[in-house]
Amino acid sequence: MANDVPESRPFSEKLRVPEALTFDDVLLRPMESHIEPDEADVSTSVSTNVDLNIPVLSAAMDTVTESELAIAMARNGGIGVLHRNMDIDEMVVEIERVKRADELVIRRDDVVTAQPDQTVREVDEMMEREGVSGAPVVDGNDVVLGIISATDIRPYLEVGESDEVHMAMTDEVITAGKDVTARAALELMYDHKIERVPIVDDDNRLVGLVTMQGILQRREHENAVRDGSGSLRIGVAVGPFENDRAHAAADAGADILFIDCAHAHNRDVIDSAREISESVEADVVVGNIGTREAAEAVVGFADGVKVGIGPGSICTTRVVTGAGMPQITAVSEVADVANRHDVPVIADGGIRYSGDAIKAIAAGADAVMLGSYFAGTKEAPGRVITMNGKKYKQYRGMGSVGAMRSGGGDRYLKEEDDDEGFVPEGVEAATPYKGTLASELHQLVGGMKSGMGYVGAPTIPEFKQRSRFVRASSAGQTEGHPHDVMITDEAPNYSPQE
Ligand code: XMP
């Protein structure tokens, strides 16, 4: 029984402690290689049913992941995990934003339409206002009668501004059913020299619209991570006991639910997580954990496990509670167990450089989650602030007083009624403003691929097996950073740690 007092043993025996290592303690041993870094395939599994094209997730933090950043993450091949410092209705809106972002078919409510008896001028003005260059013409029952576009109403076509739309529209409309694929829609557009295809039901009523512009935009993001219906994928954080939030997120289309707890190796948290996983279709990732025993307790039902007890840049868990696990050891212990059960492992927190990220994979992770690395990007929530002539964005721990005040206290299994009662496990900070997420990801993933090149492993699974660590002394660590020089130009992927 867990609560029984164990047999007494000499306290001094406790000091025969195993060593636990973190990123700076190890380096990848260079090995013979036949691959060029650019050729490295970084696709991976992040949970039982979700694969990514890059092994990267953005943290579920209120200064990191909302819909804008989640859209950018998925378009670039990773996945964003929406934070939970918002009410359930707001969460649903955020999930829907991501799901609709790259939709092939624009839904009926979002399609700009014209009525046959409107004047050409009215429709011209409406299209200008709405920023579209054409509109299906529908009657009162939404039946598609024609389509009107800017080319139909140009003056030289002898259509007067006060003529009615039905006189100017094209009435031989090419339509398609709602199961149309991007390829079929594009073929229709090429064959008939048109730029938009109304999507109709069996009674010819408008249910959506596919546009050439929309299809071309999707093609720009060829590395995007999409669900079965072509929408971008998204992960959503839910509290350990938030069944309602979990169901609402799954119903709204969340692909993965992340049980968001600072110490998931807790019997009540595990029971609740199991219950949630049995009642939703979405994958359920359980975290955070940091030991072999915790992994054993969850791999039976979890679709993925997330590792990290106190490594994060804004975390004070280790100093406040005295508990924690250096991250490389934590990842490897969990991966020992999870790999045997084919459960993907996510290394969460403490990653400052691309080298740290690929070391986490070598330690057994399938993907990495980052907060501080992305908090300074354009797509992260919050505005840019200027201090001493430099640009910054806010970045705060979800266990900081500010974030807990906004609703995240139960991540730390605490119930608090007033600010005085908070025992924070994180700080509030500012991080340099960095520009677009795409350029940050380019540096991060580019560095990881180079690491794979040094080890001679062309894929993530091969890299996990083939890579070896060497131990770095503190002199070795110093040697590994620029030294004995004054840096004159900042590198896009390196800033010295204080
Ligand atoms: P990085 O190092 O990428 O870490 O900024 C992000 C991860 O840190 C965790 N997190 C916290 N941990 N106190 C903690 O002990 C906090 O206030 C806190 N906020 C976030 C979280 O796992 C995140 O993904």
Short mmCIF file of all heavy atoms in Angstrom, two decimals, residues 214-238:
data_model
loop_
_atom_site.label_atom_id
_atom_site.label_comp_id
_atom_site.label_asym_id
_atom_site.label_seq_id
_atom_site.Cartn_x
_atom_site.Cartn_y
_atom_site.Cartn_z
N GLY A 214 -8.37 29.56 -52.79
CA GLY A 214 -8.31 28.70 -51.60
C GLY A 214 -7.45 27.47 -51.87
O GLY A 214 -6.63 27.07 -51.03
N ILE A 215 -7.64 26.87 -53.05
CA ILE A 215 -6.87 25.66 -53.37
C ILE A 215 -5.39 25.99 -53.48
O ILE A 215 -4.53 25.27 -52.97
CB ILE A 215 -7.38 25.02 -54.68
CG1 ILE A 215 -8.81 24.50 -54.48
CG2 ILE A 215 -6.46 23.89 -55.13
CD1 ILE A 215 -9.44 23.90 -55.70
N LEU A 216 -5.09 27.11 -54.13
CA LEU A 216 -3.67 27.48 -54.29
C LEU A 216 -3.03 27.77 -52.95
O LEU A 216 -1.89 27.42 -52.69
CB LEU A 216 -3.53 28.67 -55.24
CG LEU A 216 -3.99 28.38 -56.68
CD1 LEU A 216 -3.78 29.60 -57.56
CD2 LEU A 216 -3.28 27.17 -57.28
N GLN A 217 -3.81 28.41 -52.04
CA GLN A 217 -3.28 28.70 -50.71
C GLN A 217 -2.93 27.41 -49.97
O GLN A 217 -1.90 27.31 -49.33
CB GLN A 217 -4.34 29.43 -49.89
CG GLN A 217 -3.90 30.80 -49.48
CD GLN A 217 -5.07 31.60 -48.95
OE1 GLN A 217 -6.06 31.06 -48.47
NE2 GLN A 217 -4.97 32.91 -49.05
N ARG A 218 -3.82 26.41 -50.08
CA ARG A 218 -3.52 25.13 -49.42
C ARG A 218 -2.24 24.52 -49.98
O ARG A 218 -1.48 23.89 -49.26
CB ARG A 218 -4.67 24.15 -49.66
CG ARG A 218 -5.84 24.38 -48.74
CD ARG A 218 -7.04 23.64 -49.26
NE ARG A 218 -6.81 22.21 -49.32
CZ ARG A 218 -7.26 21.33 -48.45
NH1 ARG A 218 -7.95 21.74 -47.42
NH2 ARG A 218 -7.03 20.05 -48.58
N ARG A 219 -2.02 24.71 -51.30
CA ARG A 219 -0.83 24.12 -51.90
C ARG A 219 0.45 24.75 -51.39
O ARG A 219 1.50 24.12 -51.41
CB ARG A 219 -0.89 24.30 -53.42
CG ARG A 219 -1.85 23.34 -54.02
CD ARG A 219 -1.59 23.28 -55.49
NE ARG A 219 -2.33 22.21 -56.07
CZ ARG A 219 -2.35 21.94 -57.35
NH1 ARG A 219 -1.65 22.69 -58.18
NH2 ARG A 219 -3.04 20.94 -57.82
N GLU A 220 0.35 26.01 -50.96
CA GLU A 220 1.53 26.68 -50.40
C GLU A 220 2.03 25.95 -49.16
O GLU A 220 3.20 25.99 -48.83
CB GLU A 220 1.14 28.09 -49.94
CG GLU A 220 1.50 29.18 -50.88
CD GLU A 220 1.02 30.49 -50.32
OE1 GLU A 220 1.27 30.78 -49.15
OE2 GLU A 220 0.34 31.22 -51.08
N HIS A 221 1.10 25.31 -48.44
CA HIS A 221 1.47 24.64 -47.19
C HIS A 221 1.51 23.14 -47.41
O HIS A 221 0.75 22.39 -46.81
CB HIS A 221 0.47 25.00 -46.09
CG HIS A 221 0.21 26.45 -45.96
ND1 HIS A 221 1.20 27.34 -45.59
CD2 HIS A 221 -0.89 27.19 -46.18
CE1 HIS A 221 0.70 28.56 -45.58
NE2 HIS A 221 -0.56 28.50 -45.95
N GLU A 222 2.41 22.71 -48.28
CA GLU A 222 2.38 21.28 -48.62
C GLU A 222 2.88 20.39 -47.49
O GLU A 222 2.63 19.19 -47.50
CB GLU A 222 3.19 21.03 -49.91
CG GLU A 222 4.58 21.61 -49.83
CD GLU A 222 5.38 21.37 -51.09
OE1 GLU A 222 4.77 21.03 -52.12
OE2 GLU A 222 6.60 21.50 -51.02
N ASN A 223 3.53 20.99 -46.49
CA ASN A 223 4.02 20.21 -45.35
C ASN A 223 3.01 20.18 -44.21
O ASN A 223 3.28 19.66 -43.13
CB ASN A 223 5.33 20.85 -44.86
CG ASN A 223 6.25 19.84 -44.22
OD1 ASN A 223 6.18 18.65 -44.54
ND2 ASN A 223 7.10 20.30 -43.31
N ALA A 224 1.82 20.77 -44.45
CA ALA A 224 0.85 20.93 -43.36
C ALA A 224 0.37 19.58 -42.81
O ALA A 224 0.36 18.59 -43.53
CB ALA A 224 -0.35 21.74 -43.84
N VAL A 225 -0.02 19.62 -41.53
CA VAL A 225 -0.55 18.41 -40.90
C VAL A 225 -2.07 18.55 -40.84
O VAL A 225 -2.59 19.47 -40.21
CB VAL A 225 0.05 18.28 -39.48
CG1 VAL A 225 -0.68 17.23 -38.67
CG2 VAL A 225 1.52 17.90 -39.58
N ARG A 226 -2.77 17.63 -41.52
CA ARG A 226 -4.22 17.75 -41.66
C ARG A 226 -4.92 16.48 -41.17
O ARG A 226 -4.33 15.40 -41.18
CB ARG A 226 -4.60 17.95 -43.13
CG ARG A 226 -3.98 19.21 -43.73
CD ARG A 226 -4.43 19.39 -45.18
NE ARG A 226 -3.66 20.44 -45.81
CZ ARG A 226 -3.87 21.74 -45.62
NH1 ARG A 226 -4.86 22.13 -44.85
NH2 ARG A 226 -3.10 22.64 -46.21
N ASP A 227 -6.20 16.65 -40.80
CA ASP A 227 -7.00 15.48 -40.42
C ASP A 227 -7.60 14.85 -41.68
O ASP A 227 -7.34 15.32 -42.80
CB ASP A 227 -8.07 15.87 -39.39
CG ASP A 227 -9.06 16.89 -39.95
OD1 ASP A 227 -9.18 17.01 -41.19
OD2 ASP A 227 -9.74 17.56 -39.15
N GLY A 228 -8.42 13.84 -41.51
CA GLY A 228 -8.98 13.10 -42.64
C GLY A 228 -9.79 13.97 -43.58
O GLY A 228 -9.89 13.68 -44.78
N SER A 229 -10.38 15.05 -43.07
CA SER A 229 -11.19 15.88 -43.97
C SER A 229 -10.41 17.10 -44.47
O SER A 229 -10.99 18.01 -45.06
CB SER A 229 -12.47 16.32 -43.26
OG SER A 229 -12.16 17.04 -42.11
N GLY A 230 -9.11 17.12 -44.23
CA GLY A 230 -8.29 18.18 -44.82
C GLY A 230 -8.09 19.39 -43.92
O GLY A 230 -7.39 20.32 -44.29
N SER A 231 -8.73 19.40 -42.73
CA SER A 231 -8.53 20.55 -41.83
C SER A 231 -7.22 20.39 -41.07
O SER A 231 -6.74 19.28 -40.85
CB SER A 231 -9.66 20.62 -40.80
OG SER A 231 -10.87 20.89 -41.43
N LEU A 232 -6.67 21.53 -40.65
CA LEU A 232 -5.44 21.49 -39.88
C LEU A 232 -5.68 20.79 -38.54
O LEU A 232 -6.77 20.88 -37.98
CB LEU A 232 -4.96 22.93 -39.61
CG LEU A 232 -4.60 23.73 -40.85
CD1 LEU A 232 -4.32 25.19 -40.48
CD2 LEU A 232 -3.39 23.13 -41.57
N ARG A 233 -4.65 20.14 -38.05
CA ARG A 233 -4.79 19.44 -36.77
C ARG A 233 -4.51 20.38 -35.61
O ARG A 233 -3.72 21.31 -35.74
CB ARG A 233 -3.83 18.27 -36.72
CG ARG A 233 -4.17 17.13 -37.65
CD ARG A 233 -3.84 15.84 -36.97
NE ARG A 233 -3.90 14.68 -37.81
CZ ARG A 233 -4.88 13.78 -37.75
NH1 ARG A 233 -5.91 13.98 -36.95
NH2 ARG A 233 -4.83 12.69 -38.49
N ILE A 234 -5.12 20.06 -34.47
CA ILE A 234 -4.87 20.86 -33.26
C ILE A 234 -4.94 19.97 -32.01
O ILE A 234 -5.75 19.04 -31.96
CB ILE A 234 -5.87 22.04 -33.14
CG1 ILE A 234 -5.59 22.84 -31.86
CG2 ILE A 234 -7.31 21.57 -33.19
CD1 ILE A 234 -6.35 24.12 -31.73
N GLY A 235 -4.07 20.27 -31.04
CA GLY A 235 -4.15 19.63 -29.73
C GLY A 235 -4.76 20.63 -28.76
O GLY A 235 -4.67 21.84 -28.96
N VAL A 236 -5.41 20.11 -27.71
CA VAL A 236 -6.07 20.99 -26.76
C VAL A 236 -5.77 20.51 -25.33
O VAL A 236 -5.92 19.32 -25.03
CB VAL A 236 -7.60 21.00 -27.01
CG1 VAL A 236 -8.32 21.83 -25.95
CG2 VAL A 236 -7.91 21.53 -28.40
N ALA A 237 -5.36 21.44 -24.48
CA ALA A 237 -5.10 21.08 -23.08
C ALA A 237 -6.40 21.05 -22.31
O ALA A 237 -7.25 21.94 -22.47
CB ALA A 237 -4.15 22.10 -22.46
N VAL A 238 -6.57 20.03 -21.48
CA VAL A 238 -7.73 19.97 -20.59
C VAL A 238 -7.22 19.63 -19.20
O VAL A 238 -6.25 18.89 -19.04
CB VAL A 238 -8.80 18.93 -21.06
CG1 VAL A 238 -9.27 19.24 -22.46
CG2 VAL A 238 -8.27 17.52 -20.98
#
